């Protein structure tokens, strides 16, 4: 498996002939985005790979469609060029309603739902939605639904790839994912916070990620969603210090922005 980290949550995964793009964000830096209810954030780092240079995409894994740090304006162009887009059920309904002609195959998943994705000349992928909670208890009406993805080949006893999606660490996630043992995990961190909501976090910090990694037991961990936005309260340098001192340090591989990393 080859992973090219593009910026924020966005990565290109090349695996068994598949070209998979996660949470497309390709806008240039400098713009301030509204996240609702008086919250906002500035994109501080642009994409390490231009969308025009990305090439063909077979599959987009979109953890949620309603926050610009996971799907920005330029990133939406990537959806139209992909064969298949997987996202939340709410996201699938919204994308289909607003761009019915551009998206040939968009599917919504809830945690526990599975779908099989096929493409000529590539092995079929079974993709299962995994739990996410994008904030404190009872915040879902504000922050909206999010989903993670576990991808498996038909002849594999365990997932080849797990993308956590934007989530905090919570009991249902730990219970569902303990012992999953994917070959590779893309772990979203950043400890998202806003001044308006004080100490409330909307994604994991590195210490939370360590606890989740210990439970899930992946072979390799590639951190994402840990730089490039002003509302990430724990940026890459600080997260790297925590992970380097942790019990999972030997599993963590930092992908340099824009440079392909061979993993798994």
């Amino acid at each position: 498996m080859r992973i090219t980290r593009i910026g924020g949550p966005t990565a290109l995964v090349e695996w068994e002939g598949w070209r998979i793009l996660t949470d497309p964000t390709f806008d240039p830096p400098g713009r301030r985005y509204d996240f609702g209810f008086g919250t906002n954030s500035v994109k501080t780092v642009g994409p390490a790979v231009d969308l025009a240079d990305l090439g063909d995409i077979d599959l987009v894994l979109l953890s949620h469609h309603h926050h610009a740090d996971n799907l920005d304006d330029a990133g939406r162009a990537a959806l139209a060029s992909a064969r298949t887009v997987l996202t939340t059920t709410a996201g699938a309904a919204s994308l289909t309603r607003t761009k019915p002609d551009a998206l040939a195959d968009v599917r919504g998943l809830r945690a526990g739902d599975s779908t099989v994705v096929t493409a000529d000349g590539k092995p079929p992928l079974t993709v299962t939605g995994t739990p996410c909670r994008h904030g404190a208890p009872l915040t879902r009406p504000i922050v909206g639904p999010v989903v993670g993805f576990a991808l498996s080949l038909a002849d594999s006893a365990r997932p080849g790839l797990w993308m956590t999606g934007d989530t905090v660490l919570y009991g249902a996630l730990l219970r569902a994912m303990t012992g999953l043992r994917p070959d590779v995990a893309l772990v979203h961190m950043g400890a998202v916070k806003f001044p308006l909501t004080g100490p409330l976090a909307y994604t994991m910090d590195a210490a939370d990620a360590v606890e989740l990694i210990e439970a899930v037991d992946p072979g390799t961990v590639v951190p994402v969603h840990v730089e490039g936005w002003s509302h990430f309260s724990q940026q890459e340098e600080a997260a790297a210090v925590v992970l380097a001192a942790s019990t999972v340090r030997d599993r963590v591989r930092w992908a340099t922005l824009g440079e392909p990393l061979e993993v798994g």
Side-chain angles (χ1 to χ4, degrees), residues 41-117:
S41 180
V42 175
K43 187 171 186 178
T44 59
V45 179
V49 179
D50 289 336
L51 180 57
D53 297 330
L54 201 58
D56 293 336
I57 298 299
D58 299 305
L59 174 63
V60 171
L61 303 176
L62 177 60
S63 67
H64 57 301
H65 72 293
H66 49 279
H67 292 155
D69 60 327
N70 296 84
L71 180 67
D72 59 19
D73 291 343
R76 288 177 181 270
L79 302 184
S81 64
R83 291 189 179 94
T84 301
V85 177
L86 301 182
T87 186
T88 63
T89 55
S94 175
L95 293 171
T96 302
R97 182 172 61 251
T98 56
K99 280 185 168 291
D101 298 326
L103 298 174
D105 181 16
V106 56
R107 310 180 198 177
L109 295 178
R110 297 181 177 89
D113 291 347
S114 293
T115 190
V116 176
V117 184

Side-chain angles (χ1 to χ4, degrees), residues 10-242:
T10 310
L12 175 66
V13 180
E14 297 170 275
W15 179 41
E16 297 290 341
W18 286 89
R19 290 173 54 81
I20 303 165
L21 186 67
T22 69
D23 282 352
T25 55
F26 289 91
D27 283 357
R31 178 177 165 188
R32 184 176 296 276
Y33 295 80
D34 177 21
F35 282 75
F37 297 93
T39 60
N40 59 77
S41 180
V42 175
K43 187 171 186 178
T44 59
V45 179
V49 179
D50 289 336
L51 180 57
D53 297 330
L54 201 58
D56 293 336
I57 298 299
D58 299 305
L59 174 63
V60 171
L61 303 176
L62 177 60
S63 67
H64 57 301
H65 72 293
H66 49 279
H67 292 155
D69 60 327
N70 296 84
L71 180 67
D72 59 19
D73 291 343
R76 288 177 181 270
L79 302 184
S81 64
R83 291 189 179 94
T84 301
V85 177
L86 301 182
T87 186
T88 63
T89 55
S94 175
L95 293 171
T96 302
R97 182 172 61 251
T98 56
K99 280 185 168 291
D101 298 326
L103 298 174
D105 181 16
V106 56
R107 310 180 198 177
L109 295 178
R110 297 181 177 89
D113 291 347
S114 293
T115 190
V116 176
V117 184
T118 60
D120 290 345
K122 301 173 177 63
L125 292 178
T126 298
V127 184
T128 301
T130 64
C132 289
R133 194 182 76 203
H134 201 1
L138 306 180
T139 60
R140 179 168 171 167
I142 299 173
V143 299
V146 183
V147 69
F149 304 96
L151 283 67
S152 302
L153 298 172
D155 59 353
S156 177
R158 67 185 201 179
L161 177 69
W162 177 43
M163 170 184 157
T164 67
D166 281 11
T167 185
V168 295
L169 183 67
Y170 66 109
L173 175 62
L174 282 171
R175 290 190 294 272
M177 296 294 101
T178 292
L180 183 71
R181 300 182 65 238
D183 293 330
V184 178
L186 293 178
V187 179
H188 290 215
M189 299 190 298
V192 164
K193 295 181 181 179
F194 298 97
L196 185 67
T197 52
L200 290 180
Y202 298 89
T203 59
M204 293 184 289
D205 64 13
D208 293 333
V210 168
E211 184 176 347
L212 182 62
I213 292 163
E214 288 175 338
V216 175
D217 194 22
T220 301
V221 174
V222 179
V224 295
H225 197 274
V226 73
E227 96 307 317
W229 289 82
S230 63
H231 64 316
F232 293 0
S233 71
Q234 186 185 61
Q235 299 277 332
E236 181 173 340
E237 184 176 350
V241 170
V242 175

